[in-house]
Amino acid sequence: MQETYCRLSKVIQTHRIFPFDLNPFGFLFGGKLMTLIDDAASISVTRHCRRGAVTASLDQLNFLKPLHNNHSVCIESYVSGAHNRSMEVFVKVIGEDLVTGERYLAATCFTTFVAVPSHMNEETEFTVPKVIPETEEEQLVCGGYEKRRASRLEERSAYKEFAAKLSIDLPWSE
């Protein structure tokens, strides 16, 4: 079984928050942050397994503090768990007041990606590497992976039942 270190999948992206990134309340628009998160997390998974992968879910995006105009937003991500073809990525969002230097935890989340056969790799049978945490924070985050995975699978099953009952009829044709 192949294994690799969390640090080898780590991505750090820093961006300045401009006025066109803001919502009507003067903070970074949540959808913009979600785009930055998905971008960084997708790089983490490709570094981890060296193949193409698709976003399966974004779990528990917790907005802790708003990100202000002219602050920076730093997205840190790394693979925090892996099973067969699925990978969980932990994402930490840190804001910084560029004038005062004050840094603050703005958000955290977990995303799940699934590696897929694609033009990037020839073999169709594969398993993604397991994760080896090293730092205290990595051990804390990775230590909860199996419990989060079990919960995710249970929620996914319940959600499939819910989704099966939803209408896909044209809403404007009544």
Side-chain angles (χ1 to χ4, degrees), residues 92-155:
K92 179 169 55 172
V93 179
I94 299 169
E96 180 182 352
D97 182 327
L98 294 170
V99 175
T100 67
E102 175 199 357
R103 293 171 53 86
Y104 51 95
L105 186 61
T108 62
C109 73
F110 290 94
T111 65
T112 302
F113 284 75
V114 177
V116 294
S118 72
H119 67 281
M120 300 170 103
N121 303 90
E122 291 182 23
E123 73 273 10
T124 57
E125 294 300 318
F126 62 90
T127 304
V128 298
K130 296 293 181 195
V131 176
I132 304 170
E134 296 174 286
T135 68
E136 253 185 72
E137 184 174 290
E138 289 170 354
Q139 290 171 7
L140 171 72
V141 172
C142 295
Y145 169 67
E146 290 299 334
K147 186 175 179 182
R148 287 188 300 272
R149 181 175 178 275
S151 177
R152 222 177 265 125
L153 290 172
E154 189 176 304
E155 287 174 12

Side-chain angles (χ1 to χ4, degrees), residues 5-161:
Y5 296 101
C6 290
R7 67 179 150 80
L8 297 178
S9 68
K10 186 167 246 184
V11 170
I12 300 171
Q13 294 182 353
T14 305
H15 307 270
R16 182 182 294 270
I17 301 170
F18 289 104
F20 54 81
D21 296 321
L22 305 179
N23 64 23
F25 306 102
F27 306 124
L28 180 66
F29 176 58
K32 172 74 174 184
L33 180 58
M34 291 172 73
T35 298
L36 296 174
I37 286 169
D38 196 44
D39 181 41
S42 73
I43 295 169
S44 285
V45 298
T46 304
R47 282 183 177 167
H48 180 77
C49 68
R50 296 298 175 190
R51 59 178 49 253
V54 295
T55 309
S57 68
L58 188 134
D59 304 347
Q60 297 190 353
L61 174 52
N62 295 298
F63 296 96
L64 303 171
K65 288 193 174 183
L67 293 150
H68 300 268
N69 184 43
N70 208 30
H71 285 199
S72 72
V73 56
C74 180
I75 313 295
E76 292 183 24
S77 66
Y78 58 86
V79 175
S80 53
H83 180 82
N84 293 334
R85 293 185 180 199
S86 68
M87 291 158 284
E88 175 191 80
V89 181
F90 174 64
V91 182
K92 179 169 55 172
V93 179
I94 299 169
E96 180 182 352
D97 182 327
L98 294 170
V99 175
T100 67
E102 175 199 357
R103 293 171 53 86
Y104 51 95
L105 186 61
T108 62
C109 73
F110 290 94
T111 65
T112 302
F113 284 75
V114 177
V116 294
S118 72
H119 67 281
M120 300 170 103
N121 303 90
E122 291 182 23
E123 73 273 10
T124 57
E125 294 300 318
F126 62 90
T127 304
V128 298
K130 296 293 181 195
V131 176
I132 304 170
E134 296 174 286
T135 68
E136 253 185 72
E137 184 174 290
E138 289 170 354
Q139 290 171 7
L140 171 72
V141 172
C142 295
Y145 169 67
E146 290 299 334
K147 186 175 179 182
R148 287 188 300 272
R149 181 175 178 275
S151 177
R152 222 177 265 125
L153 290 172
E154 189 176 304
E155 287 174 12
R156 182 172 168 77
S157 177
Y159 191 77
K160 279 185 176 183
E161 288 178 31

